[in-house]
Amino acid sequence: ACTGATPTRCIQVTAPTIQTPAQSATVGPNPSLSGTGLAGALVTVSRTGGASVCTATVNAGGNWSCSSLLGNGTYTVTATQT
């Protein structure tokens, strides 16, 4: 919530989402990842431990996608935007 005597601008920025592949999906190596974010932001997808998997710029419609270099295995990934 915005507080203060006279805020000039109050905005809320939500975290990017990963929409595909679905949670707990089984996919082949090097899957494409996609989701939503703030138009113009740079989304970085990272696996547990911090290693970057792929990056993409969110388009005007609020969507992004990138191709990963994840080999065979089980991974947990997160998306951040700047």
Side-chain angles (χ1 to χ4, degrees):
C2 291
T3 59
T6 54
T8 57
R9 198 167 288 210
C10 180
I11 61 170
Q12 179 179 1
V13 178
T14 57
T17 65
I18 299 174
Q19 296 178 322
T20 58
Q23 178 75 19
S24 301
T26 300
V27 297
N30 307 320
S32 291
L33 302 157
S34 65
T36 61
L38 181 65
L42 178 66
V43 171
T44 301
V45 179
S46 301
R47 64 182 191 191
T48 302
S52 177
V53 172
C54 61
T55 60
T57 300
V58 182
N59 67 22
N63 301 299
W64 61 268
S65 65
C66 58
S67 297
S68 74
L69 296 177
L70 293 170
N72 292 329
T74 301
Y75 302 94
T76 298
V77 295
T78 57
T80 57
Q81 68 186 3
T82 54

